[in-house]
Amino acid sequence: RAQWSGIDPSPAASRPARSVLSAALIASAAFIIVSVDAFRREGGELTADPKSGTGGYVLFAESELPLLHNPNDPSGREALMMQAPELAQVRYTRFRVRPGEDASCLNLYRPTNPTIIAPEAGFIESNRFTFASSMAESDAERANPWLLLRREFDDGAVPVVADATSMQYVLHVGVGDTFSIDTGGERPLVLRFVGALRDSVLQGELIMSEDAFVRRFPQQQGYRLILADAPSVRSLDDARTLAGLVERELQPLGVDATVTSERLAAFHQVENTYLSTFQALGGLGLLLGTVGLATVMFRNVLERRRELGLLRAVGYDTRRMTLMIV
């Protein structure tokens, strides 16, 4: 009977522009909520994978005083008075440090003088961590982008590597861009970003080769950052115990040790907070779209009271009318 009378009982088809606008707002808000959640990062799990965000390391340790002896050698551990037998199987990778500003997502401001670190010999060949992008040209550089730190540029720029998140959101630079810092000399030091690490525990620092570091910062003696690799550590509790042991054994140097997975999770927590904010805005859009669609439907019903009255007159009962409107 509705077809015979030429009446479309669907209120949504009465004003399609209104309905499409409200439905599009709901769909867009739902898409934002779902898609933003796909970028959420987890953390807090230990892994021995050298290509992971932790590089396969267990501990990230910083010292107030420089470390002048090699803890990987028995003579070095003896000089450092590291007497705990559990530390004999731990392998350490030391970094020279030029103190500066934090370049991670924990810093709300763009650093003008970021912290620079330089790994000891052997780190480049170990080829740890994963690169998001780089200036690699040869097959060797593509296989191990850390070799780019040994490049020499005609303009005198020093090659450095940084975390991709720090480069994009904190330093606002890309691979191939330059960054100048004041080192107290006649001219500023020009750095060129030759590679970007993907989601690494080294998010707060710029990484330079040791040879270039010693030439530019000869006053920085010894090593003040350590990444520790402990194959015997299998759980997070074991890693925390090892961190406390390292702090106790190296207490004269003022060492502060952190589990790498927890440090990486702290970076992820900041990013996830931003994602939660965007999801809250998407939820607000979804709420407004739902209310708007209900308002449009109610207005369409009011505008079509005569048509609905005709349907009632030809025999449609209230239950069926309500079902059509819903």
Side-chain angles (χ1 to χ4, degrees):
R1 284 175 293 181
Q3 293 178 354
W4 172 81
S5 61
I7 299 174
D8 184 358
S10 172
S14 175
R15 297 289 188 269
R18 298 179 189 171
S19 303
V20 169
L21 180 60
S22 299
L25 182 59
I26 293 177
S28 300
F31 174 78
I32 291 175
I33 294 175
V34 175
S35 61
V36 167
D37 190 69
F39 290 95
R40 191 175 297 275
R41 293 178 174 178
E42 302 298 332
E45 297 182 358
L46 289 176
T47 176
D49 184 8
K51 292 298 185 181
S52 64
T54 62
Y57 294 105
V58 176
L59 298 183
F60 180 98
E62 298 176 287
S63 64
E64 294 293 336
L65 299 177
L67 193 71
L68 301 178
H69 303 280
N70 189 353
N72 294 315
D73 300 330
S75 59
R77 290 194 295 272
E78 184 178 356
L80 294 170
M81 293 182 292
M82 300 175 65
Q83 302 176 357
E86 296 85 352
L87 300 180
Q89 303 299 324
V90 179
R91 305 303 299 174
Y92 306 90
T93 301
R94 301 173 297 168
F95 291 77
R96 297 181 184 271
V97 178
R98 178 188 180 271
E101 300 171 339
D102 184 14
S104 70
C105 58
L106 301 177
N107 188 359
L108 298 178
Y109 305 98
R110 184 175 188 262
T112 58
N113 193 11
T115 301
I116 300 176
I117 63 176
E120 61 181 335
F123 175 80
I124 293 179
E125 285 73 15
S126 65
N127 192 15
R128 292 178 181 256
F129 299 99
T130 301
F131 281 76
S133 59
S134 69
M135 295 178 61
E137 298 177 354
S138 64
D139 293 337
E141 290 176 343
R142 294 187 187 96
N144 184 7
W146 287 110
L147 296 174
L148 293 168
L149 292 179
R150 296 173 178 170
R151 268 195 186 183
E152 294 185 0
F153 296 100
D154 296 335
D155 58 358
V158 180
V160 294
V161 170
D163 187 87
T165 301
S166 299
M167 292 174 58
Q168 182 175 359
Y169 298 107
V170 182
L171 298 173
H172 306 292
V173 295
V175 173
D177 293 342
T178 59
F179 189 85
S180 299
I181 62 174
D182 184 12
T183 60
E186 296 180 357
R187 296 181 179 179
L189 176 62
V190 179
L191 308 175
R192 175 166 284 117
F193 294 92
V194 296
L197 298 175
R198 178 183 291 116
D199 188 30
S200 74
V201 74
L202 299 175
Q203 189 179 128
E205 299 82 19
L206 308 185
I207 309 165
M208 181 186 296
S209 69
E210 188 174 26
D211 293 338
F213 186 95
V214 172
R215 289 196 302 268
R216 269 74 180 186
F217 312 108
Q219 71 279 8
Q220 302 294 338
Q221 300 294 323
Y223 302 88
R224 294 180 54 187
L225 190 149
I226 300 174
L227 292 178
D229 186 4
S232 60
V233 173
R234 300 300 182 184
S235 65
L236 192 59
D237 291 335
D238 293 342
R240 291 169 179 166
T241 302
L242 180 62
L245 184 60
V246 170
E247 290 180 351
R248 186 171 64 251
E249 292 292 309
L250 297 177
Q251 184 178 6
L253 299 178
V255 171
D256 181 20
T258 307
V259 180
T260 52
S261 59
E262 293 181 344
R263 176 180 171 86
L264 191 61
F267 294 144
H268 291 170
Q269 186 176 5
V270 175
E271 299 178 30
N272 292 339
T273 300
Y274 284 109
L275 295 178
S276 299
T277 302
F278 293 133
Q279 283 189 309
L281 294 176
L284 179 60
L286 181 62
L287 177 62
L288 294 177
T290 304
V291 174
L293 182 60
T295 304
V296 168
M297 294 296 100
F298 182 70
R299 181 174 179 179
N300 288 346
V301 170
L302 291 179
E303 291 179 352
R304 304 185 67 187
R305 283 179 298 178
R306 294 182 179 180
E307 299 176 7
L308 296 177
L310 178 60
L311 292 177
R312 290 292 302 275
V314 296
Y316 280 85
D317 56 12
T318 302
R319 184 183 60 83
R320 183 168 297 181
M321 294 278 297
T322 302
L323 181 61
M324 288 191 300
I325 292 175
V326 171

